[in-house]
Amino acid sequence: MTPPTQMSLPRRPFDRSIALMRFIVVLLFVLTLYGFTALETGGVNMADAWSMLADNAATLFFRPALANVTVSELLVSLGVTIGLGFLTTVFGAVIGFGLALASALNIAPVWLSVLVKGFTAIVRAIPTVLWVLIFAVSAGLGSVAAVLGMTFHSAGYLIKAYAESFEDVDAGSIEALRAGGADWWHIVGQVVTPSAMPALISWTFLRFEINFSTAIAMGAAAGAGGIGFDMFMASGFYLNIREMGAFTYAILIFAVIMELIATRLQTRQTHR
Amino acid sequence: MPVLHVENVRKSYGGSSFALDGVSFSIEKGEFVAIIGPSGAGKSTLLRCINRLIAVTSGTVSVDGTDVTKVSNSGLRILRRTVGMIFQHYNLVNRLTVIENVLHGRLGYKSSLSGTFGLFSHAEKMRAYELLQAVGLSEQIYQRCGQLSGGQKQRVGIARALIQDPTLMLCDEPIASLDPNAAKIVMDTLRDINQRLGITVVANLHQVHAAREYAHRIIGVNAGKVVFDGPPSLLTLEIIQQIYGSEAQDLMLAEGELHA
């Protein structure tokens, strides 16, 4: 073996994309710093404002208390919001499953797949809140518009997610069943669905989380009721930060429980 | 009447070259035929043209007197259930149990509704269990296929093909992903179903020694053409070189090691 003649690393050749990326990061950093100095604060004393913010946050998180609703009313409200999230996820999942079968390229004809994928791309491009407002035109602002709008966007989202899960199914096992004389429904029921099941479950849970938080926002924004509406009343109408805190904790506890269930379900699915 | 008759079959995937370029042969009932040839010679395409997983460009393929290339969709289902097939990568549904995978072989006989939801009769389940016993997997029937070894998976594949009650069995590189031990078990099983059940076996093999040992007849394919068709005894070194072309050297070395 000959000893190395050069001890230093050769220079890395100039890479335009990396250089551009660095330039953009530095530029954004400089702009952010400039933004702080140029901030128009009006008559607000920034030091006072920060301490008040800390004060309010402390009240919100450390001194939660109910005032205008009882515990049972809180639970009912939470139930309404969960219900809204759950219902729209179930509707979205059923529609999503059906149309995903029509758009997964390994089991659907290309023309149908392109048609469905194009349509769902448009549905997803419009945010959930806008769908709710669109349906509010005919259904009026309220729970009906919220259910319709959220279902629409959930379906669009789940069609894409499910279809991609279907497309990941091993082409060989589909071929094996076709070779044995299985028809299209057999392949869907016996290969595609069981193989994609863990992915379907995790996508559905993820969408339920999204729908739950959207349902909170819709409670206030679209008057769909539930804990979102109660929060809106507590903050905007009664100006009661402590009650806001109680609602926040109720939502947080439910989110944590849901997360635990999702994790358990997923580990069970992958380990079976 | 031959079980399988292939006449002047050509297959092109577009472009000017042919994956299969005028292939003809006939296989009688009860034969064990090995198709050998280098990678990319068209062996897999040829096998898939027999049950129309791939449509031929021209020529005819007939199985038990039925022209595969012209049969209707419902006729194709009926034809496919009499042709069993096993694969190099087993092609099982790994998340389902062994017996569920074997029962998939019955789908050609099931209505859409009962097949989709996996509603099989007691008789069908008993038959699946018997076949699993026959291939030595009676202990594993409720295990998930993903947990099995390669050799076990291939035996599940064989049971899935046998439950179709096939007259013809197509094997696409059945032992290419297996260690020598598991490969021997699989090949012995194939010989057994050929001899005891009288099922005609057509197997793509990359290993010349396995073809020599198990097949009654060897068909050598190179660049989409049949270049040899005869009993193993006529397969001389020169002919192997002719079939495998530039790959022959590596193959000889591997063979030499095996027999050493």
Side-chain angles (χ1 to χ4, degrees), chain A residues 149-222:
Chain A
M150 286 168 66
T151 297
F152 227 65
H153 197 271
S154 301
Y157 177 95
L158 290 176
I159 290 167
K160 184 184 162 78
Y162 288 175
E164 282 179 4
S165 314
F166 292 159
E167 283 168 358
D168 282 339
V169 171
D170 173 37
S173 42
I174 294 174
E175 185 189 38
L177 261 69
R178 280 211 301 141
D183 68 19
W184 187 86
W185 289 105
H186 294 158
I187 286 166
V188 169
Q190 292 296 314
V191 188
V192 174
T193 310
S195 301
M197 194 48 89
L200 299 188
I201 288 175
S202 81
W203 279 117
T204 312
F205 251 96
L206 186 62
R207 187 64 209 192
F208 179 55
E209 280 173 28
I210 297 172
N211 279 356
F212 177 65
S213 49
T214 312
I216 297 168
M218 286 307 114

Side-chain angles (χ1 to χ4, degrees), chain A residues 25-51:
Chain A
V25 169
V26 171
L27 185 72
L28 287 177
F29 187 69
V30 171
L31 280 176
T32 308
L33 286 184
Y34 171 74
F36 277 125
T37 63
L39 210 57
E40 182 67 64
T41 53
V44 178
N45 180 334
M46 281 312 278
D48 283 354
W50 279 110
S51 81

